Amino acid sequence: MNSFYIMIGGSLGAILRYLLGLFMMKKYSNPPFPLAMLVVNILGSAGLGAFYGYYYNAMPPTTAYSDSLFLTIAIGFFGAFTTFSTFSVEAMMLLQRQSYKALSIYIGLSFIGSIGFFLLFFLGAQAISF
């Protein structure tokens, strides 16, 4: 049954990532670095932080792996919505093109933005959870 929860969340997360990526590519057809995946990864980190902060009011315990909501949202949805593998491919493409400035901005914003927004939304959700 756990695999079913992950499958449902993962399906929805992957579809939403795809649609948001298409929207971003249409809106910004030639950005200086991979803007669509940057936005997806930062939004996903913020969402996961909010989920953890609100639902658990802390980082989830190891027992969360038997919780259907954790499996569906944290592992399934946000696991499929965000993507480190695509980030890696796009970073390597910038490196191959010798776009060092764009590569530095992309890596910096990806890491700092993802961790920063996770923390911001995690703490914000903790403050409003009861």
Side-chain angles (χ1 to χ4, degrees):
M1 192 63 174
N2 289 351
S3 297
F4 177 75
Y5 295 128
I6 294 168
M7 180 186 68
I8 295 299
S11 298
L12 296 173
I15 291 167
L16 187 58
R17 179 182 73 215
Y18 172 73
L19 294 174
L20 184 57
L22 284 180
F23 171 78
M24 293 296 297
M25 287 187 288
K26 285 181 184 176
K27 188 164 178 77
Y28 304 101
S29 60
N30 195 18
F33 53 86
L35 186 60
M37 278 303 107
L38 176 65
V39 169
V40 162
N41 286 333
I42 289 175
L43 283 176
S45 296
L48 187 59
F51 173 70
Y52 282 0
Y54 186 79
Y55 189 66
Y56 293 103
N57 204 22
M59 292 302 290
T62 56
T63 56
Y65 283 84
S66 61
D67 177 4
S68 62
L69 195 59
F70 177 82
L71 294 171
T72 304
I73 294 175
I75 294 179
F77 181 81
F78 286 114
F81 182 69
T82 60
T83 174
F84 195 75
S85 57
T86 302
F87 162 79
S88 300
V89 168
E90 291 173 339
M92 287 305 301
M93 290 169 64
L94 290 171
L95 185 61
Q96 284 179 333
R97 284 191 247 143
Q98 298 180 344
S99 300
Y100 301 119
K101 183 178 178 182
L103 174 65
S104 298
I105 291 169
Y106 183 54
I107 290 172
L109 288 176
S110 293
F111 282 110
I112 293 168
S114 293
I115 294 168
F117 273 85
F118 177 92
L119 181 61
L120 179 70
F121 279 75
F122 176 75
L123 295 173
Q126 276 186 320
I128 63 169
S129 71
F130 17 117

